[in-house]
Amino acid sequence: MAKRSVKIDTKELEAAVEEVVGRMGVIERFGKAADHIEGLADIETDRFGIAVATHDGGMVMGGDAETPFPIQSISKVFALTLALRAFGDDVWKRVGREPSGDPFNSIVDLERHKGKPRNPFINPGAIVVVDMLLDIAAKDETHKTVRDFLAAEIGEEIKVDRTIFDKESSGGFNNRAMANMCKFFGNLNHEVDAVMKPYVSQCAIALTCRQLALAGRYLMDGGEKPLEDESVRARRVNSLMLTCGQYDGSGDFAFRVGLPAKSGVGGGILAIAPGLASIAVWSPGLDENGNSLLGTLALEQLAERMGWSVFG
C-alpha cells in the first residue's frame, strides 16, 4: 500500500461527489438501522452524507454532510492509534491482527483464544485497547482519550450523544461479558466498570461527515510533516482497516472498494485513499454485516470514478 501524493482535480472530485449523492438519492433499498442499540433503530435509513478531505487541504461535501451521528466502532481506529503511540508493538502482545471470522460482538472466539481478541476492531479487542489507554493517564503531552485526540485533530469541540451513552451505559451486557472474559484470562488490568465507561463514551461520540473526514487526515499521509514513526503507525492502522475494518464484510469491501476503511453501526464509514484523501460517508441503513449499505455503495462508486483503489 504505497503512499501516493498526486494533484487532485477539484472540479473532477466535485463532479464525482455530486454524481454519487445523486445516485444514492434514487436507490430504494436502504438497509436496516441498528436495532441492538436503543436510539439508533428509529433513524431514517434514507439519509446520506459524504465529505472528502484532500491531501492539499481541500474539502468537498454533499448530502447530509453536516448531520452529526454516533461514530460507534469507528472510534476504535483512534483508540488504537493512541495505544500504538503510547506502547508501540507491545499492543500486539494483548490484541491480535487477524480477521475474526465471527461477529464483532462474539464471545466464542474470545474464549477460544484465552482472552486475547483476534484484532482491535472487534468489541473485545477495543475493550482491551481502552484498558491500555487507562494506563497512559500519567504520561505528559499524550492524549488520554479518543475525545481529546479528535478535538486536537479536528480543531473543534467534540460532543457525546448523551442518549446513546446513557442507553449503552445502562445495558451493554454482552460487552461486559466479554470484558469479564478478558479479565478472567488476565488480559484486563483495570476493573470492568472502569473500562466500560470510556469505551461506551468513545462509541457515543457524535461527528459529522466533515468532522470525521478531518479526523482521518493523519491516516492519509501520517500528518502534514510526517515523522517516520507516524508514517509507520498510519500504515499499520490502514492495513488493519483493510483486513478487519468492515466486520465479516471486510473481504467483500476490499474487493469492491479497495480502500482501508472502518465502519460503525451508527451508519458511518471512514475510508482512506493513502496520500490522496480522507473520506467519510454516513447512511444509517445497514447491510447484513452491520455496514452502511448506501455508504459502501457510495465509496465503491467514488473509488472507481476517481481511480483511488489501493490495488490500482
Side-chain angles (χ1 to χ4, degrees):
M1 191 181 299
K3 173 186 171 182
R4 297 177 292 169
S5 185
V6 298
K7 184 174 178 58
I8 295 175
D9 186 323
T10 302
K11 290 185 178 180
E12 181 185 6
L13 177 59
E14 289 174 346
V17 169
E18 183 178 0
E19 180 180 348
V20 166
V21 172
R23 288 182 176 181
M24 296 306 105
V26 299
I27 293 175
E28 296 181 357
R29 178 168 165 258
F30 308 126
K32 181 181 179 182
D35 56 8
H36 66 287
I37 298 175
E38 291 187 57
L40 294 181
D42 297 329
I43 299 176
E44 296 176 358
T45 56
D46 60 347
R47 305 288 298 276
F48 174 77
I50 181 172
V52 184
T54 60
H55 72 92
D56 56 1
M59 175 68 74
V60 178
M61 300 185 292
D64 299 311
E66 290 286 18
T67 300
F69 58 90
I71 63 173
Q72 292 291 332
S73 286
I74 302 173
S75 65
K76 298 170 183 177
V77 171
F78 309 119
L80 175 62
T81 298
L82 290 177
L84 288 172
R85 286 181 177 179
F87 304 109
D89 285 343
D90 285 345
V91 168
W92 310 123
K93 295 177 181 178
R94 299 178 58 188
V95 183
R97 301 193 294 266
E98 297 293 337
S100 67
D102 290 305
F104 62 92
N105 57 357
S106 172
I107 198 172
V108 176
D109 190 67
L110 186 63
E111 182 179 18
R112 186 185 303 128
H113 291 92
K114 300 186 184 303
K116 182 176 181 179
R118 294 278 280 178
N119 68 70
F121 293 155
I122 55 177
N123 287 15
I127 289 169
V128 170
V129 168
V130 170
D131 183 66
M132 297 181 200
L133 298 187
L134 294 177
D135 287 328
I136 68 174
K139 291 179 177 287
D140 294 329
E141 299 181 1
T142 302
H143 297 300
K144 301 170 181 59
T145 68
V146 168
R147 189 176 181 180
D148 292 340
F149 175 81
L150 290 174
E153 291 294 322
I154 299 170
E156 300 176 16
E157 180 183 357
I158 302 303
K159 297 181 179 180
V160 171
D161 187 318
R162 298 304 305 184
T163 300
I164 298 295
F165 176 79
D166 291 342
K167 294 294 185 182
E168 292 196 85
S169 295
S170 61
F173 300 114
N174 189 56
N175 285 333
R176 290 178 180 275
M178 290 184 284
N180 276 291
M181 183 68 72
C182 293
K183 185 75 171 176
F184 173 76
F185 283 107
N187 199 17
L188 210 68
N189 295 333
H190 301 87
E191 295 303 317
V192 169
D193 285 344
V195 177
M196 292 310 301
K197 183 176 180 179
Y199 172 76
V200 170
S201 179
Q202 72 182 34
C203 288
I205 289 172
L207 298 180
T208 66
C209 287
R210 177 186 61 81
Q211 291 174 317
L212 183 56
L214 290 174
R217 289 175 298 178
Y218 75 100
L219 293 170
M220 172 176 58
D221 56 12
E224 184 177 348
K225 296 180 180 178
L227 300 173
E228 184 177 355
D229 56 348
E230 283 293 326
S231 294
V232 169
R233 274 193 288 270
R235 186 175 72 244
R236 289 176 174 173
V237 173
N238 278 328
S239 67
L240 285 170
M241 290 169 70
L242 184 67
T243 58
C244 307
Q246 308 296 304
Y247 311 127
D248 276 354
S250 297
D252 184 63
F253 187 93
F255 182 88
R256 292 169 53 191
V257 181
L259 294 176
K262 182 70 194 84
S263 64
V265 295
I269 304 176
L270 171 66
I272 305 298
L276 295 169
S278 170
I279 312 150
V281 293
W282 170 69
S283 185
L286 310 179
D287 63 19
E288 63 275 8
N289 291 311
N291 302 313
S292 173
L293 183 62
L294 293 188
T296 300
L297 288 171
L299 288 169
E300 180 180 12
Q301 294 178 12
L302 181 67
E304 181 177 357
R305 168 77 182 264
M306 298 300 296
W308 281 355
S309 169
V310 297
F311 303 112

